[in-house]
C-alpha cells in the first residue's frame, strides 16, 4: 500500500506538472490522439453500420468483421505497423483506427437493427421517405446502442493509446514505459493511476450521454409496456414448453 | 521465413506458456462469475451495484491494471500470477453481466413448474436454472476466451513472457515474420480454445444446438468486447 502513496506523491509532485513531457501535456496528447482516431474510425464505421442495419444487407460482413477482429492482439498490430511505418504517430493511429472500427460498426448495426420492424413499417405506411425513416425513426430509437458502441470504442482507444507509447513518444503510457526502463515504480504507478482516472472519467461521461439520448417517447413507453402484453404469457394448458429455445 | 524455421521451438514453448496463462484466467473468471451473476439476477438491489462495479473494472486499461495490481496483491510486477489475476478480473467483468442476463432469460413459469414438481431451491439451480442459462453463459465464455488470449500478449511489455514476447522482440530486432507469427499463433490459439468451448457446450447441453443459440446472442455481446483486447 505504501507504493500507492508513492504513486500518488509522484502525481502530486509539482515538478511533474511543468515543462515538456509533464502530466498536463501527456494528458492532452493522450486525448488528442484518441479524438483523432475516434473521428477517423467513426467516419468510416458509423455510416457503414447504419446502412447495414437499415437495409439488412451485408449483415454477415458486420458480424464477421466485428467478431473476427476481436481476436487480433493489439500489441501485435501496433508493433507490426510500427515496424512498417517507423517511430511516430502514423503507426499507432492506423492500428488504433483498425481496432476501433469493430465496436463502432457493431454498435451502429445493432442500434439500427434493434428498432422494431413494425415501427418502421408503420412509419413507411404513414408516408415517410426512406431518409426520414433513417433520420427520424431508426436513428433516435437506435441511438442508445449506437452511443454504446462509441463508448466501447472510445474506451478501447484510450486504453490502447497507453500501449501506443511503446512505439511513439506520446501520451500517458510514456510514464509507464519510462518508469519500467528506469525501475521507477512510483512513476509507473502514477502514470497508471492517471490512465485509469482518465478512462473512468470518459466512461462516466458516456454513461450520462447514453442516458440522455434515450428518446422521450421511448422512456414514456417503458412504463406502460405492461399493458401491451397479454394478461397471461402462455396458455396454462396444452402448449409444450420449448425448453432451451428461450435464449 | 528463415526466422520461423529456426525458432519453431521458441514458438512452441511460448504457445504453451501463453496457454498456461490464459486457461486458468478463463476458468477462474467463469467459476467466479456464475454465482455473482446469479446474485445480480436473484436480488434486484444487488444488480445495479454488481453490474456497475463490473462496468468500472471493464473500463480500466489493461496495462494500467497490470501495473496497479502488484501493490494490492504484494506480487511482483513480472509475476505470471499478477497477469492471471488481472485477466480473471476482466473475465469476471464480462461474464457477470451475461450471467445475470442468462438467469433472467429462464422463464418464471419454468421456475415455478420446477418448484411445483418438487425441486428444492438448490436442486432447481443445478437441475433447471443453470442448464437453461447454459447457452447464454457459453456465449459470454466465448467472448472471454478470445479477449483473454489476446490480452495475455500485453503482459509482454512489462516482462511476462507469452506469444506477446514475439511482438516486443520482433519489434526491437526488426523481424516482421516474428511479429506476424505471434499474431497468427495468438489468433489460432483463441480460435482453438473457442472451438473447444463450443464442443464442450454441445456435449454438456445436448438439448440445444449450441452453435445456433450462441451465434444469435453473440451479436448483442459483440458491442461489449473487452476494451483493449
Amino acid at each position: 500500500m505504501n507504493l500507492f502513496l508513492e504513486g500518488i506523491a509522484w502525481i502530486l509532485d509539482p515538478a511533474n506538472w511543468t515543462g515538456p513531457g509533464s502530466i498536463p501535456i501527456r494528458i492532452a496528447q493522450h486525448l488528442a490522439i484518441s479524438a483523432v482516431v475516434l473521428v477517423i474510425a467513426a467516419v468510416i464505421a458509423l455510416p457503414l453500420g447504419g446502412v447495414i442495419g437499415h437495409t439488412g444487407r451485408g449483415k454477415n460482413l458486420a458480424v464477421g468483421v466485428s467478431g473476427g477482429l476481436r481476436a487480433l492482439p493489439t500489441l501485435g498490430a501496433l508493433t507490426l505497423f510500427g515496424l512498417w511505418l517507423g517511430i511516430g504517430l502514423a503507426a499507432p493511429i492506423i492500428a488504433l483506427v483498425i481496432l476501433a472500427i469493430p465496436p463502432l460498426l457493431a454498435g451502429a448495426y445493432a442500434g439500427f437493427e434493434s428498432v422494431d420492424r413494425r415501427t418502421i413499417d408503420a412509419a413507411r405506411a404513414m408516408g415517410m421517405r426512406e431518409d426520414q425513416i433513417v433520420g427520424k425513426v431508426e436513428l433516435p430509437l437506435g441511438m442508445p446502442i449506437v452511443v454504446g458502441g462509441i463508448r466501447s470504442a472510445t474506451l478501447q482507444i484510450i486504453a490502447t493509446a497507453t500501449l501506443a507509447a511503446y512505439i511513439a513518444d506520446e501520451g500517458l503510457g510514456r510514464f509507464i514505459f519510462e518508469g519500467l526502463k528506469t525501475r521507477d515504480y512510483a512513476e509507473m504507478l502514477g502514470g497508471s493511476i492517471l490512465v485509469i482516472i482518465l478512462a473512468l472519467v470518459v466512461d462516466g461521461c458516456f454513461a450520462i450521454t447514453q442516458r440522455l439520448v434515450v428518446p422521450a417517447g421511448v422512456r414514456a413507453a417503458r412504463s406502460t409496456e405492461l399493458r401491451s402484453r397479454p394478461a397471461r404469457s402462455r396458455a396454462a394448458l396444452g402448449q409444450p414448453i420449448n425448453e432451451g429455445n428461450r435464449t | 521465413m528463415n526466422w520461423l524455421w529456426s525458432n519453431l521451438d521458441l514458438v512452441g514453448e511460448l504457445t504453451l506458456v501463453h496457454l498456461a496463462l490464459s486457461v486458468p484466467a478463463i476458468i477462474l473468471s467463469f467459476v467466479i462469475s456464475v454465482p455473482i451473476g446469479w446474485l445480480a439476477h436473484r436480488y434486484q438491489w444487488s444488480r445495479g451495484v454488481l453490474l456497475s462495479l463490473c462496468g468500472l473494472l471493464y473500463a480500466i486499461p489493461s496495462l494500467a491494471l497490470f501495473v496497479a495490481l502488484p501493490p494490492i496483491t504484494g506480487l511482483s510486477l513480472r509475476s505470471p500470477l499478477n497477469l492471471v489475476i488481472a485477466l480473471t478480473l476482466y473475465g469476471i467483468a464480462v461474464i457477470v453481466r451475461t450471467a445475470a442476463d442468462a438467469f433472467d432469460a429462464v422463464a418464471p413459469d419454468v421456475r415455478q413448474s420446477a418448484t411445483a414438481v418438487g425441486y428444492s431451491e438448490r436442486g432447481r439451480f443445478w437441475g433447471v436454472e443453470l442448464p437453461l442459462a447454459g447457452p447464454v453463459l457459453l456465449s459470454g465464455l466465448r467472448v472471454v476466451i478470445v479477449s483473454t488470449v489476446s490480452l495475455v500478449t500485453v503482459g509482454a511489455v512489462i516482462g511476462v513472457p507469452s506469444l506477446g514476447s514475439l511482438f516486443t522482440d520482433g519489434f526491437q530486432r526488426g523481424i516482421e515474420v516474428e511479429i506476424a507469427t505471434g499474431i497468427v499463433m495468438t489468433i489460432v490459439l483463441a480460435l482453438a480454445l473457442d472451438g473447444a468451448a463450443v464442443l464442450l457446450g454441445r456435449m454438456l447441453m445436448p438439448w440445444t444446438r449450441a452453435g445456433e443459440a450462441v451465434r444469435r446472442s453473440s451479436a448483442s455481446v459483440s458491442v461489449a468486447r473487452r476494451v483493449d483486447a
Side-chain angles (χ1 to χ4, degrees), chain A residues 1 3-4 69-77 79-80 82-84 87 99 106-107 148-149 152 155-156 159-160 162-163 166-167 176-177 180 185 188-189 192 195-196 199-200 203 233-234 241 243-244 246-247, chain B residues 55-56 59-61 63-64 67-68 70-72 77-78 105 107 109-110 132 135-136 143 146 150 153-154 157-158 164 167-168 170-172 174-176 179 183 186-187 190 207-208 213 222-223 225 227-229:
Chain A
M1 274 310 182
L3 280 171
F4 262 116
L69 276 181
R70 196 188 286 159
L72 180 71
T74 306
L75 186 63
T79 47
L80 199 56
L83 212 55
W84 284 338
I87 306 283
L99 292 157
S152 172
L155 274 181
Q156 187 175 342
T160 316
T162 317
L163 206 51
Y166 185 71
I167 54 172
I176 298 178
F177 290 109
L180 193 65
Y185 200 87
M188 282 183 87
L189 193 56
S192 300
V195 173
I196 292 172
L200 292 181
D203 192 44
S233 62
R234 182 193 293 156
I241 297 172
E243 262 185 89
R246 302 211 138 253
T247 55
Chain B
L56 284 182
I60 298 175
L63 187 56
V67 176
I72 302 172
L77 183 63
R78 292 187 164 79
D109 40 7
V110 171
L132 287 183
V136 181
V143 174
V146 175
S150 188
T153 60
V154 177
V157 298
I158 53 165
F167 305 152
T168 51
F171 179 66
Q172 273 151 17
I175 308 173
E176 276 174 31
I179 299 178
I183 294 178
T186 310
I187 294 175
W207 66 87
T208 169
S222 60
V223 180
R225 84 176 260 226
V227 291
D228 52 350

Side-chain angles (χ1 to χ4, degrees), chain B residues 77-162:
Chain B
L77 183 63
R78 292 187 164 79
S79 148
L81 192 57
N82 179 43
L83 201 64
V84 171
I85 292 174
L87 296 170
T88 304
L89 288 174
Y90 281 136
I92 291 173
V94 176
I95 314 184
V96 164
R97 180 171 288 275
T98 317
D101 292 344
F103 287 116
D104 286 346
V106 179
D109 40 7
V110 171
R111 214 171 273 131
Q112 279 181 355
S113 314
T115 309
V117 297
Y119 275 101
S120 66
E121 185 100 3
R122 176 191 290 241
R124 194 181 72 184
F125 174 80
W126 291 108
V128 179
E129 292 177 27
L130 191 60
L132 287 183
V136 181
L137 286 176
L138 177 63
S139 76
L141 180 67
R142 294 181 63 186
V143 174
V144 169
I145 287 175
V146 175
S147 68
T148 303
V149 171
S150 188
L151 264 183
V152 167
T153 60
V154 177
V157 298
I158 53 165
V160 182
S162 69

